[in-house]
Amino acid sequence: MKKLLTILLMTVTLVVTADAQRGRGGRNLPTNESDEYYKSDEARRIGDQVLLYQRVTGGWPKNINMAKPLTAEERAQVLNDKERQDDSTTDNGATNQQMLFLARLYQANKDARYKEGFNKAVEYLLSGQYDNGGWPQFWPVMRDYQIHITYNDDAMVNTMNLLRDVARQQAPYQGLADKRLRQRCLKAFDKGVECMLVTQMRDKDGRLTIWCQQHDRDTYEPAPARAYELPSYCPMESASIVRLLMQQPNPDARIRQAVHAAMAWFDKYKLTGLRIVRTGPWASMDGDTRLVEDAQAAPIWGRYYDLKHCEPYVCDRDGVPRRRLEDIGHERRNGYAWFSNRPAELYPLYEEWANRYDPQHKVSISLTTKGANENGLIELFRQPEKDVRDFDAVVNAGESIQAAIGKAPLKSDKPFRIFIRKGLYAQKVIVDRPNIVLVGEQRDSTCIVLAETEETRTVKEYNGQPVHHGVVVLQEGADDCVISGLTIYNNYGTAVEPGNTKHQMAVYGRATRTIIVNSNIWADGNDALSLWARDGGMYYHADLFLRCPGVDFLCPRGLCYVTRCRFYGDSRAILWHDGRGDPNRKLVVTNSEFDAKSPTPLGRYHHDSQFYIVNCKLSANIMDRNIEHAYKGRTADEMAKEGKRLDPCPWGQRVYYQSCRREGGHSGWLADNLSAAPGSPEFHTVTAAWTFGGQWDPEQRIRDLWDVIAY
């Protein structure tokens, strides 16, 4: 039975690994071919290109298919890049796989060039090690999180394994390094083991646990990397560390203690009765990833466990941890391995290791007992809870939201947090001061509803300033407003004049740096969410349901980033953007879904605008038609006769798509063309930070306020 279980676990792991490799788009070199292959002309051609790509540092960049034949222009660019010192790395297998390929080539051909390139790479690996034994993932030039000790994606483990094998002259590294270099490799390996022992984390009671993906190079504390890689307990990388430690001959007391503790943690926090179901290719919009119940499933582990509750979580590019896969966008949900069975591979190995080296302290582990999620140790889908003591004002059903806003300072650089309890609030809300944070108790049952058009405004002036129509109005100067957990509905076209779809703003704003998240924004008429700062503002929206039968119901002026939103229209264009005044102004929509009651255009524009639609799904009711000028084909004279002005839009049509899908297909307009956008950005760089060009970090503000916003 144990042998069968081991085979099954290996099979699952191979499947997961194969998927991951496919996700790298063929960037791996052919390092596992027969010995005869490396004598071929094709292998030597690839070897020459590998040497061409080798930087002056001795290392290589990542995520490049170095086996692909180069054009003359590409070869010239690679030669030009050889002097770069900022992209050599061990991330994603880079440098290690090139070294393995060169080693196999050398053994087959005895070409000194391959040996020379290999030894330069060994020197590169040795040069990156810190005095404490750790390695960063990039060097010699580093930025941001690249300076941390990096276990992520096995970067440091892969480096150490290679150096150990070189030192021991294990195949295919025989004869490549002289005795002195082999001694240096062994010394570096031993220092790396010391670093692993020092960085192993302890829980609040002082017990050894496992490792984070990154650790601070000075304090050894768990450290963040990319936005969705937070300081955490990280079982997948930790399993690779434990495997390396168990391979040490004659392990001393510290290594034995480290292994026992990590295996105890793995067993304590395994997840049972759950299985990952992945459909479609890796990271494809044609598939999805789900966590489903399955009583017969083998144990799995989360990629990350938070440091507070030791519970697994997932995370989007906004850096906010969530408990459910469906709470993050399609791109991260399907383009990252959030769960793994890697620690399970260690169970039979540990049994043999512990019996041999330290049976006295062997811990009891089992792949057949219930996991932490089933035995009550953790709350797998823990929901965030708000504490009213974290708020500056509380509004109960029947009370005035406006009165609570009036308690805030007229000018303040600190957030004034208002908690609105469940209920129906038939009132207009005017925000006339900065840093107001409005948080509803529950988005579907905390409702602000008002029927209003321009002609039927209930409030025309407030504190001496004119007030636009709309349910929630952000006056000029009401900057840094945050809205979360609310339903905001202008129901004029239902409650007063059925079928009327004239301008019926749900939210209207003249302020900048506006954040609206986790809310329903509904209107029965045009321009439901209208943020129109006079000189172009900055706005951020996430996890919204926008519903409107009118036109242009998301219509920002300036810079706007939208993610994980759901749009539902009815026959009239959904998106609109005004980017006049600055060619960098744009509307960016990522990881969102568009649907409609009837055939509906995705969007239109009247003025200079710029649209980026990335990783979005469109239903069949979104018309097979690109976003175009609303008056395409009409002349200025024709427009003038109707009392309208034609803006010629000198910057032209600027509409960019990447990884979008429409049910029923499309006629070509939805094809990927992000590379044609200014700067040719890659899809993963189209983020809020990129959108606002460093002028504003709304996601950091959300993280700072997460205790009160949490949803």
Side-chain angles (χ1 to χ4, degrees):
M1 175 60 75
K2 182 182 292 185
K3 183 177 180 180
L4 176 61
L5 180 60
T6 303
I7 293 172
L8 288 171
L9 289 170
M10 290 176 64
T11 302
V12 172
T13 303
L14 286 170
V15 170
V16 172
T17 302
D19 280 345
Q21 303 299 351
R22 283 195 295 272
R24 290 181 180 176
R27 295 190 289 264
N28 294 306
L29 291 166
T31 55
N32 295 313
E33 305 298 322
S34 66
D35 291 343
E36 198 63 29
Y37 168 80
Y38 297 96
K39 298 178 182 179
S40 69
D41 291 341
E42 173 66 5
R44 288 192 292 270
R45 180 193 67 78
I46 296 173
D48 290 345
Q49 285 195 174
V50 167
L51 292 175
L52 187 68
Y53 274 104
Q54 189 173 26
R55 302 305 196 219
V56 67
T57 62
W60 282 267
K62 67 175 181 177
N63 298 346
I64 297 175
N65 184 352
M66 297 182 185
K68 175 186 173 184
L70 295 170
T71 65
E73 292 80 10
E74 289 169 338
R75 180 175 293 274
Q77 184 61 53
V78 174
L79 280 169
N80 187 62
D81 287 341
K82 282 190 75 70
E83 299 300 315
R84 288 184 62 173
Q85 299 192 41
D86 62 346
D87 65 349
S88 299
T89 182
T90 55
D91 190 27
N92 286 2
T95 298
N96 287 278
Q97 66 164 303
Q98 283 81 12
M99 293 176 71
L100 176 57
F101 187 76
L102 289 180
R104 298 211 61 183
L105 274 177
Y106 176 74
Q107 300 303 344
N109 300 281
K110 301 303 180 183
D111 188 326
R113 295 179 304 135
Y114 302 140
K115 181 176 182 179
E116 181 183 1
F118 180 88
N119 278 287
K120 285 181 179 178
V122 173
E123 292 292 348
Y124 170 71
L125 294 182
L126 294 174
S127 73
Q129 189 174 33
Y130 294 137
D131 289 341
N132 59 27
W135 273 271
Q137 61 173 284
F138 282 82
W139 72 90
V141 176
M142 298 173 278
R143 65 179 188 276
D144 302 326
Y145 62 85
Q146 294 173 353
I147 67 172
H148 297 316
I149 296 167
T150 303
Y151 300 124
N152 196 1
D153 290 334
D154 299 335
M156 183 165 151
V157 167
N158 290 341
T159 294
M160 290 177 61
N161 282 335
L162 191 150
L163 292 176
R164 179 197 60 200
D165 292 348
V166 170
R168 295 177 179 175
Q169 295 246 50
Q170 291 187 351
Y173 304 116
Q174 317 95 300
L176 280 165
D178 61 25
K179 181 178 180 180
R180 182 174 179 276
L181 185 56
R182 295 199 303 272
Q183 290 174 338
R184 291 170 61 203
C185 289
L186 186 59
K187 181 179 179 181
F189 177 86
D190 291 340
K191 287 177 64 177
V193 170
E194 177 65 21
C195 179
M196 289 173 170
L197 297 177
V198 171
T199 53
Q200 188 173 15
M201 295 187 292
R202 294 181 182 270
D203 63 19
K204 61 182 179 181
D205 297 317
R207 292 185 294 259
L208 284 172
T209 60
I210 58 173
W211 289 262
C212 184
Q213 284 184 336
Q214 297 82 214
H215 287 261
D216 187 280
R217 63 179 178 177
D218 298 316
T219 67
Y220 307 127
E221 292 297 312
R226 290 171 290 189
Y228 49 89
E229 296 171 334
L230 309 178
S232 313
Y233 296 106
C234 300
M236 193 164 82
E237 282 80 5
S238 295
S240 296
I241 294 173
V242 172
R243 180 187 290 270
L244 182 148
L245 293 177
M246 285 198 296
Q247 292 170 346
Q248 281 290 86
N250 302 315
D252 61 21
R254 293 177 68 203
I255 292 177
R256 297 197 301 269
Q257 183 184 30
V259 171
H260 291 315
M263 292 305 301
W265 191 98
F266 290 143
D267 198 62
K268 184 176 182 179
Y269 291 104
K270 64 180 182 284
L271 307 175
T272 54
L274 298 168
R275 177 168 53 90
I276 283 289
V277 175
R278 184 182 293 277
T279 58
W282 177 269
S284 168
M285 289 297 292
D286 295 325
D288 205 359
T289 305
R290 295 179 296 124
L291 184 65
V292 301
E293 294 184 0
D294 182 351
Q296 304 304 314
I300 58 175
W301 286 259
R303 180 72 176 260
Y304 302 113
Y305 288 68
D306 69 74
L307 298 178
K308 181 177 181 180
H309 301 289
C310 208
E311 294 170 344
Y313 69 89
V314 296
C315 196
D316 216 328
R317 292 186 183 273
D318 57 6
V320 177
R322 308 299 179 89
R323 295 297 179 182
R324 299 177 184 274
L325 277 170
E326 54 266 34
D327 290 338
I328 62 175
H330 190 277
E331 183 267 325
R332 278 298 79 191
R333 186 165 71 246
N334 298 288
Y336 201 68
W338 293 108
F339 294 88
S340 166
N341 67 343
R342 190 183 290 180
E345 302 168 34
L346 300 177
Y347 276 58
L349 301 178
Y350 173 75
E351 292 287 338
E352 180 180 346
W353 179 88
N355 288 336
R356 180 179 181 183
Y357 291 111
D358 197 7
Q360 181 180 355
H361 297 102
K362 178 181 175 182
V363 298
S364 177
I365 59 174
S366 172
L367 290 172
T368 61
T369 55
K370 289 188 179 298
N373 59 310
E374 290 195 305
N375 64 25
L377 178 62
I378 65 172
E379 186 178 337
L380 186 60
F381 301 119
R382 181 184 297 274
Q383 292 300 303
E385 296 181 1
K386 297 180 179 65
D387 188 336
V388 295
R389 292 173 295 184
D390 292 330
F391 291 85
D392 300 293
V394 177
V395 181
N396 297 300
E399 296 179 347
S400 168
I401 300 172
Q402 197 65 55
I405 294 173
K407 296 177 182 177
L410 285 173
K411 293 187 181 297
S412 176
D413 58 0
K414 295 181 180 179
F416 188 85
R417 297 158 295 190
I418 300 172
F419 182 59
I420 307 171
R421 293 195 183 276
K422 296 177 184 178
L424 178 62
Y425 297 82
Q427 52 189 265
K428 187 179 182 79
V429 176
I430 303 165
V431 181
D432 66 335
R433 55 202 71 193
N435 269 304
I436 295 297
V437 180
L438 297 173
V439 180
E441 186 174 3
Q442 202 279 328
R443 65 184 282 172
D444 296 321
S445 53
T446 310
C447 307
I448 309 174
V449 181
L450 188 72
E452 186 171 271
T453 64
E454 177 65 22
E455 295 78 16
T456 62
R457 281 180 295 165
T458 55
V459 179
K460 297 184 179 181
E461 184 178 289
Y462 185 74
N463 285 345
Q465 297 298 319
V467 176
H468 200 276
H469 85 272
V471 182
V472 175
V473 175
L474 308 181
Q475 298 284 76
E476 194 164 350
D479 301 334
D480 300 299
C481 180
V482 179
I483 296 172
S484 176
L486 295 171
T487 291
I488 303 172
Y489 180 24
N490 190 333
N491 66 342
Y492 183 89
T494 299
V496 178
E497 192 177 341
N500 186 315
T501 58
K502 67 171 61 175
H503 287 111
Q504 296 170 35
M505 280 75 167
V507 180
Y508 174 86
R510 285 290 193 183
T512 190
R513 297 188 300 277
T514 302
I515 294 173
I516 305 178
V517 296
N518 182 37
S519 295
N520 301 314
I521 308 296
W522 300 340
D524 291 337
N526 305 339
D527 297 33
L529 180 49
S530 304
L531 299 183
W532 296 346
R534 294 187 186 279
D535 189 33
M538 295 183 287
Y539 326 110
Y540 179 92
H541 307 314
D543 305 299
L544 303 183
F545 176 28
L546 295 113
R547 186 189 72 192
C548 182
V551 72
D552 307 338
F553 61 86
L554 176 67
C555 50
R557 290 178 173 171
L559 292 163
C560 183
Y561 181 81
V562 179
T563 190
R564 299 188 306 272
C565 290
R566 184 160 60 102
F567 298 84
Y568 190 77
D570 185 3
S571 78
R572 307 178 72 187
I574 294 172
L575 301 176
W576 182 93
H577 177 243
D578 182 351
R580 288 175 293 180
D582 186 341
N584 291 317
R585 290 175 180 169
K586 58 183 73 77
L587 167 58
V588 177
V589 183
T590 73
N591 289 291
S592 296
E593 298 181 4
F594 294 86
D595 194 8
K597 183 179 179 180
S598 60
T600 299
L602 177 61
R604 65 176 192 163
Y605 58 93
H606 296 79
H607 312 292
D608 275 315
S609 59
Q610 190 171 195
F611 298 84
Y612 290 80
I613 316 295
V614 179
N615 289 300
C616 290
K617 289 185 177 182
L618 285 61
S619 79
N621 266 345
I622 302 302
M623 296 171 67
D624 186 11
R625 192 171 81 194
N626 203 357
I627 296 173
E628 296 179 335
H629 197 294
Y631 303 127
K632 180 181 179 181
R634 302 189 64 182
T635 67
D637 289 341
E638 290 173 340
M639 298 293 295
K641 291 177 182 178
E642 299 176 15
K644 299 177 181 178
R645 179 179 177 275
L646 178 66
D647 188 335
C649 302
W651 292 327
Q653 185 186 41
R654 297 183 297 165
V655 184
Y656 308 108
Y657 300 98
Q658 184 69 37
S659 302
C660 294
R661 294 291 183 272
R662 177 184 177 273
E663 293 178 6
H666 61 90
S667 56
W669 60 275
L670 199 58
D672 294 349
N673 68 337
L674 190 59
S675 61
S680 300
E682 295 187 58
F683 80 91
H684 58 86
T685 67
V686 180
T687 61
W690 174 84
T691 300
F692 302 111
Q695 302 175 73
W696 181 43
D697 189 350
E699 292 173 341
Q700 183 59 55
R701 181 163 172 81
I702 290 172
R703 292 191 291 270
D704 291 342
L705 290 167
W706 191 243
D707 286 346
V708 298
I709 295 176
Y711 56 92

